[in-house]
Amino acid sequence: MRNICVYQEFLTELHKAQIRETAERLGFAPHFFALDRFEEAKTCLQNCEVLYAHSPDLLRAAPVSLKWYCCSYAGVDPYCKDPSLFANPDCLLTNSNCYGVTIAEHVVMVLLMLLRRMPEYEAVVRNRGWSSQLPIRSIRDNEFTILGTGDIGSNVAERLRLLGAAKITGLSRSGQAREGFDEALPISRLDETLPQTRNLIMALPSTPETRHILNRARIALLPPGAYVVNVGRGTAIQQEPLAEALNAGRLGGAALDVTEPEPLPPDHPLWGARNILITPHVSGNMTLGYTCDRNVELFCRDLENYAAGRPLNGLVDRARGY
Amino acid sequence: MRNICVYQEFLTELHKAQIRETAERLGFAPHFFALDRFEEAKTCLQNCEVLYAHSPDLLRAAPVSLKWYCCSYAGVDPYCKDPSLFANPDCLLTNSNCYGVTIAEHVVMVLLMLLRRMPEYEAVVRNRGWSSQLPIRSIRDNEFTILGTGDIGSNVAERLRLLGAAKITGLSRSGQAREGFDEALPISRLDETLPQTRNLIMALPSTPETRHILNRARIALLPPGAYVVNVGRGTAIQQEPLAEALNAGRLGGAALDVTEPEPLPPDHPLWGARNILITPHVSGNMTLGYTCDRNVELFCRDLENYAAGRPLNGLVDRARGY
């Protein structure tokens, strides 16, 4: 039998049975370890060709014979940035496209909070005050630009369309058309897109190309009152000019589930910026049944591909970074 | 020409042109007054048979010859509770079903905020703190009970279905089946419905029957961790036991856009209750273009009905209260 090391906390007994059934049918033996059994997992890993985990430390301890590291997270920048984590330079790396639905629900929530001016209403109500109606905006009949058209961007686009959005533009490296977007553009056309973007949603991986892609100059290209939502990686935004644009009232508000660094230090200028909604990197929450089910399902599907020598669905280009 | 008094603040020039065109074609002359011209509106009203407004004070000044009061709000309880407002006891009263979309967006927002534990995350972030992931819930695969299946309840149901809800139960006086609900029940079956209701959305008019419909005994019937959203009228909930159930951790949270009274006095027990989201009666916001457009459109349609002697779409049963 070929061995698989599974080092995960979220698995139910049903998930384990599903993995075991798939693995054994394909000639693999899975070995399960909860996160408090790091040393045992490390020992077992020495005889494994597959690792299903999210642990740079465990990966670093893997032998050169490890052939596939299935990362259960979506963001794999820690692994792409540091090739020394892989003893085997040809080790396959996959990430998980299981977070689109829950992150899309987060985006719908924070977009509505910004459009409906919840930061201002909440400030009034916190002091047990009352307020008359402030001018709000709606998802219906509104226009959205989504940076990143992968699992997350596509799930966001789908929900905005269902809620009556008038136009959804998607930008990606290739600019390839994707279902659910009214318009698909290459990211090279970002500068000409921003002046028409009243609602910007960022769902980009962290790569050298996406670092500070929303920089001071591009923040200045957004129209007055624009809203910015980031659920990708904190590195995508130059944070000081964002805080300045919010405080100057140039932007309408921002919702950041990711920052640089995380946690954000207590004296960081983003704290207390005007109309900002910060959440502590929780949009891709792993506590939902359907997210966990899909994580396992995607692993099992790619195990079938791996066993058959077919390309893996979740394959990451380690040089490209996603 | 028969005269119409229009006493509204939100009308654009386009809206006025639309009303004028419809009215004149039907043999009516509309007279427009902004809210700062009360006395002029009152004088004009003496020769009008139709009033399009939301002003108990102006209605009280109307002559016995007023035949139709078109109220631009959805909630008409002030008019139904006080028959002395109408000099003409047979005066028709209509309300406006233009708020469903914006209130439904509010409900989606606050439901996601409760399900995704935003009150707790916001408390952490307010102190510039960070937090690990809390167990959350989702709209997808979740079940919802909606009290009130009119314009608002139906628009909420539609959006929850589009976002992947597993089951939506609607309760109304008649229990009549409505599009968008998986199950339609008469409100007399509320007691047997509550123990299975993890997410309760209330969109009821204020009538003697709905007063304190969610009373102490019924709050106790909800399962542990249930969420309550109210966008109808504050009178529908007995507020002290709601605050107690929240503070005891029996309920998961509540979002109230309506309270009793409004504004809520600073020493009211609802302020500061655990996991409560209070908004100052702003879900049916009148600042959105589509809400205002629809308000005017519904008035014009009913003016066609009125002129032709047909029943009015927005007709309120003044004795019933909605």
Side-chain angles (χ1 to χ4, degrees), chain A residues 154-169:
Chain A
S154 302
N155 268 286
V156 171
E158 181 190 343
R159 278 157 187 76
L160 295 178
R161 168 177 309 285
L162 292 172
L163 293 170
K167 187 178 172 194
I168 304 168
T169 301

Side-chain angles (χ1 to χ4, degrees), chain B residues 100-135:
Chain B
V101 174
T102 185
I103 296 183
E105 288 202 354
H106 178 93
V107 169
V108 167
M109 174 184 76
V110 295
L111 268 177
L112 285 170
M113 289 177 74
L114 293 172
L115 293 166
R116 299 184 71 92
R117 303 181 73 161
M118 281 299 276
E120 288 152 274
Y121 281 129
E122 288 186 326
V124 169
V125 164
R126 199 148 49 237
N127 297 316
R128 304 190 170 198
W130 217 248
S131 155
S132 54
Q133 297 193 348
L134 305 170

Side-chain angles (χ1 to χ4, degrees), chain A residues 101-102 105-106 108-109 112-113 116 118 121-122 125-126 128-141 159 162-163 259 262-264 266-268 271-272 277-288 290, chain B residues 101-102 105-106 108-109 112-113 116 118 121-122 125-126 128-141 159 162-163 259 262-264 266-268 271-272 277-288 290:
Chain A
V101 174
T102 184
E105 288 202 354
H106 178 91
V108 167
M109 174 184 75
L112 285 171
M113 289 177 74
R116 299 183 71 91
M118 281 299 276
Y121 281 129
E122 288 186 327
V125 164
R126 199 146 53 236
R128 305 191 170 197
W130 216 247
S131 154
S132 53
Q133 296 193 349
L134 305 170
I136 64 171
R137 297 179 191 170
S138 175
I139 286 179
R140 172 152 150 179
D141 301 341
R159 278 157 187 76
L162 292 172
L163 293 170
T259 59
E262 292 172 12
L264 207 56
D267 59 348
H268 196 281
W271 293 117
L277 290 168
I278 295 176
T279 43
H281 202 147
V282 293
S283 67
N285 195 298
M286 269 303 276
T287 68
L288 285 168
Y290 63 68
Chain B
V101 174
T102 185
E105 288 202 354
H106 178 93
V108 167
M109 174 184 76
L112 285 170
M113 289 177 74
R116 299 184 71 92
M118 281 299 276
Y121 281 129
E122 288 186 326
V125 164
R126 199 148 49 237
R128 304 190 170 198
W130 217 248
S131 155
S132 54
Q133 297 193 348
L134 305 170
I136 63 171
R137 297 181 191 169
S138 176
I139 287 178
R140 173 153 149 177
D141 301 342
R159 279 157 187 77
L162 292 172
L163 293 170
T259 59
E262 292 172 13
L264 208 55
D267 60 347
H268 196 280
W271 293 118
L277 291 167
I278 294 176
T279 43
H281 202 147
V282 292
S283 67
N285 193 299
M286 268 302 277
T287 68
L288 286 166
Y290 64 67

Side-chain angles (χ1 to χ4, degrees), chain A residues 3-313:
Chain A
N3 290 311
I4 301 173
C5 178
V6 181
Y7 180 62
Q8 296 285 5
E9 202 65 32
F10 73 87
L11 300 175
T12 62
E13 288 310 311
L14 268 175
H15 290 142
K16 289 182 191 171
Q18 185 185 350
I19 292 169
R20 193 174 290 112
E21 186 279 321
T22 307
E24 290 176 354
R25 181 164 44 77
L26 299 167
F28 291 85
H31 307 275
F32 297 97
F33 303 94
L35 295 195
D36 59 353
R37 295 173 62 203
F38 181 83
E39 287 303 326
E40 288 163 83
K42 193 168 147 181
T43 304
C44 170
L45 182 59
Q46 303 315 310
N47 296 308
C48 291
E49 66 176 275
V50 177
L51 171 59
Y52 176 31
H54 171 61
S55 168
D57 287 342
L58 190 56
L59 177 61
R60 197 190 301 276
V64 69
S65 50
L66 187 77
K67 293 197 179 147
W68 171 28
Y69 174 48
C70 175
C71 176
S72 52
Y73 275 33
V76 287
D77 37 300
Y79 306 103
C80 297
K81 277 176 194 152
D82 186 0
S84 80
L85 287 173
F86 295 87
N88 171 9
D90 297 324
C91 182
L92 300 172
L93 168 65
T94 54
N95 72 339
S96 185
N97 288 314
C98 72
Y99 301 97
V101 174
T102 184
I103 296 183
E105 288 202 354
H106 178 91
V107 170
V108 167
M109 174 184 75
V110 293
L111 267 176
L112 285 171
M113 289 177 74
L114 293 173
L115 294 166
R116 299 183 71 91
R117 304 182 72 162
M118 281 299 276
E120 289 153 274
Y121 281 129
E122 288 186 327
V124 168
V125 164
R126 199 146 53 236
N127 297 316
R128 305 191 170 197
W130 216 247
S131 154
S132 53
Q133 296 193 349
L134 305 170
I136 64 171
R137 297 179 191 170
S138 175
I139 286 179
R140 172 152 150 179
D141 301 341
N142 211 331
E143 303 190 353
F144 302 86
T145 298
I146 305 179
L147 285 190
T149 58
D151 175 42
I152 296 165
S154 302
N155 268 286
V156 171
E158 181 190 343
R159 278 157 187 76
L160 295 178
R161 168 177 309 285
L162 292 172
L163 293 170
K167 187 178 172 194
I168 304 168
T169 301
L171 284 90
S172 62
R173 191 152 85 156
S174 69
Q176 231 172 349
R178 289 258 188 170
E179 211 186 329
F181 293 88
D182 296 293
E183 186 178 35
L185 298 173
I187 234 155
S188 56
R189 293 183 59 187
L190 180 56
D191 286 1
E192 61 190 278
T193 308
L194 289 176
Q196 286 83 49
T197 294
R198 293 179 64 169
N199 304 288
L200 177 66
I201 298 145
M202 303 176 65
L204 291 167
S206 174
T207 70
E209 288 79 33
T210 65
R211 181 171 170 76
H212 288 189
I213 190 166
L214 193 68
N215 58 18
R216 182 179 294 276
R218 291 205 174 105
I219 289 168
L221 288 177
L222 286 164
Y227 296 114
V228 175
V229 173
N230 190 9
V231 289
R233 279 287 183 258
T235 51
I237 298 182
Q238 213 179 348
Q239 298 181 140
E240 288 72 13
L242 179 71
E244 287 167 29
L246 289 168
N247 289 331
R250 264 257 317 136
L251 295 183
L256 309 180
D257 189 50
V258 288
T259 59
E260 186 192 15
E262 292 172 12
L264 207 56
D267 59 348
H268 196 281
L270 277 181
W271 293 117
R274 194 176 149 278
N275 290 345
I276 201 164
L277 290 168
I278 295 176
T279 43
H281 202 147
V282 293
S283 67
N285 195 298
M286 269 303 276
T287 68
L288 285 168
Y290 63 68
T291 308
C292 300
D293 292 351
R294 179 126 178 99
N295 204 303
V296 170
E297 185 189 317
L298 292 171
F299 170 67
C300 288
R301 267 199 231 168
D302 258 350
L303 186 59
E304 305 258 9
N305 291 328
Y306 178 79
R310 291 189 298 259
L312 305 184
N313 290 325

